[in-house]
Amino acid sequence: MKLDIDYKKDKIILKNAKDFIPRHIFECGQCFRWNENQDSSFTGVAHNRVISVQKLDKDIIIENSTREDFENIWIKYFDLGTDYGIIKNKISQDDEVMQKAIEFGKGIRILRQEPWETLVSFIISANNNIPRIKKTIELLAGAYGEYLGEFHGEKRYGFPTARVLSQLSIEELKACNLGYRAAYIQKTASMLDMEPTELDEIARLDIVNCKKNLLKYQGVGPKVAHCVLFFCMGKMQAFPVDVWVKRVMEYFYFHREASPKEIQEFAWEKFGKYAGYAQQYLFYYARELGIGKG
């Protein structure tokens, strides 16, 4: 996708940005460190950087970014090289449900996130709700992450490293609202502290072996594994099945109870290599409108 960019001091203007609505991106359940400000911009922390993102008319304004960071970090992070028009057309062909889901979440882009933070975040997400997940991650970052400075009147912190978390006691981790997940995080952090490049090596495997390797980490089941596969390991056919996706798939496509495995196989056959994108549109559509609930 050709980008029309205006570089200002500490600010990037992405002109006539297509398929980019901050609220859709940051509230569709794929990330947990972005929060809306009073002016409808969103401030977030990723890759040990703090930026704010705002849509003004047809433009996207990225504040607190250098040109170097934009080109080396944010183009990839916001998946700006992907033409979402092609994906939308492919997965919505002859599918009225998907057409409605895409229209509802038309500004979603899939963030290319950092593997370690994504793994921990989705371990925390299991059997949890988004406000609590976000609070827990901020407690971890505030207590044990690198201080990144003050931005918009708040102190900002990076995500703590595997080495730092591996050295904490279960009690220290539980103090960050981790509950029973504290033991999972400590064990997984210890494994990755000893093998710091392992997640990058896993990401280079095919989806079957990638998933198999992810399942060895404490707290990682099939749903969490598929989230990691999709949100940071480039396996765009991964199809996480949580309660909302299960409901919407049963409600619109099966008209009966269906197992996660059955749903995934149906999705792979129907949506092919873009199954993960279809899942994200369906998840946001179902959760926001309460489709299939009850």
Side-chain angles (χ1 to χ4, degrees):
M1 185 174 70
K2 185 172 171 42
L3 302 177
D4 184 3
I5 305 160
D6 190 3
Y7 296 99
K8 305 286 187 182
K9 185 182 178 183
D10 295 330
K11 186 181 292 187
I12 310 294
I13 302 173
L14 186 57
K15 296 190 171 186
N16 297 309
K18 293 182 179 179
D19 308 306
F20 195 131
I21 298 176
R23 179 171 283 105
H24 293 178
I25 293 170
F26 303 129
E27 294 189 351
C28 70
Q30 65 174 318
C31 57
F32 305 105
R33 299 208 66 196
W34 289 87
N35 295 291
E36 189 171 11
N37 304 310
Q38 288 187 342
D39 63 357
S40 297
S41 66
F42 283 77
T43 296
V45 182
H47 295 281
N48 267 12
R49 303 288 195 279
V50 186
I51 62 170
S52 70
V53 178
Q54 185 175 26
K55 187 173 181 66
L56 291 176
D57 297 322
K58 294 182 179 181
D59 299 342
I60 294 294
I61 314 298
I62 299 176
E63 185 185 351
N64 202 38
S65 173
T66 63
R67 178 172 183 162
E68 182 180 15
D69 277 355
F70 179 73
E71 293 176 348
N72 294 333
I73 297 173
W74 304 121
I75 286 178
K76 181 179 178 182
Y77 181 76
F78 289 112
D79 198 24
L80 295 177
T82 297
D83 187 334
Y84 277 67
I86 293 172
I87 295 169
K88 291 175 179 181
N89 288 336
K90 185 70 174 177
I91 64 177
S92 64
Q93 195 169 14
D94 301 321
D95 188 331
E96 189 177 341
V97 172
M98 187 56 66
Q99 289 166 10
K100 289 180 179 177
I102 286 172
E103 179 58 30
F104 184 82
K106 60 189 174 185
I108 290 174
R109 301 192 77 83
I110 302 304
L111 302 176
R112 303 304 178 99
Q113 300 180 65
E114 192 279 322
W116 160 245
E117 180 175 345
T118 305
L119 176 63
V120 174
S121 297
F122 281 98
I123 290 173
I124 293 169
S125 79
N127 301 310
N128 215 339
N129 61 59
I130 288 177
R132 184 181 172 88
I133 298 163
K134 293 178 74 166
K135 181 179 179 182
T136 299
I137 291 171
E138 289 309 318
L139 286 170
L140 274 175
Y144 303 110
E146 178 186 345
Y147 178 58
L148 303 178
E150 191 170 300
F151 182 70
H152 285 185
E154 291 185 29
K155 293 180 178 179
R156 311 286 178 167
Y157 299 87
F159 193 79
T161 64
R163 169 151 295 182
V164 167
L165 294 189
S166 71
Q167 295 172 349
L168 299 178
S169 68
I170 296 295
E171 290 70 29
E172 287 172 318
L173 288 166
K174 282 186 173 180
C176 295
N177 277 7
L178 280 169
Y180 69 87
R181 301 171 189 85
Y184 300 160
I185 301 299
Q186 186 194 59
K187 179 65 174 176
T188 295
S190 297
M191 292 171 69
L192 286 167
D193 179 41
M194 291 186 290
E195 298 287 348
T197 64
E198 189 166 38
L199 289 179
D200 292 330
E201 292 166 8
I202 289 172
R204 288 193 282 268
L205 302 174
D206 63 79
I207 188 170
V208 173
N209 286 300
C210 198
K211 178 184 174 185
K212 182 179 178 181
N213 278 270
L214 288 172
L215 290 172
K216 73 184 180 184
Y217 296 114
Q218 294 258 334
V220 178
K223 184 259 178 178
V224 170
H226 273 266
C227 287
V228 176
L229 289 169
F230 184 59
F231 293 125
C232 69
M233 292 194 166
K235 312 304 185 203
M236 310 319 285
Q237 71 272 45
F239 196 88
V241 179
D242 74 341
V243 63
W244 285 109
V245 173
K246 188 172 189 295
R247 283 173 182 165
V248 75
M249 293 297 285
E250 289 171 346
Y251 185 81
F252 282 119
Y253 294 106
F254 286 87
H255 310 294
R256 60 172 174 80
E257 285 275 336
S259 69
K261 185 174 185 293
E262 191 177 10
I263 290 169
Q264 283 171 339
E265 288 174 351
F266 173 87
W268 288 329
E269 183 174 344
K270 183 172 180 57
F271 304 117
K273 65 180 181 179
Y274 297 129
Y277 296 94
Q279 184 271 358
Q280 200 62 25
Y281 290 118
L282 286 168
F283 172 84
Y284 187 54
Y285 184 52
R287 193 194 65 193
E288 293 299 303
L289 298 183
I291 292 170
K293 189 173 184 179

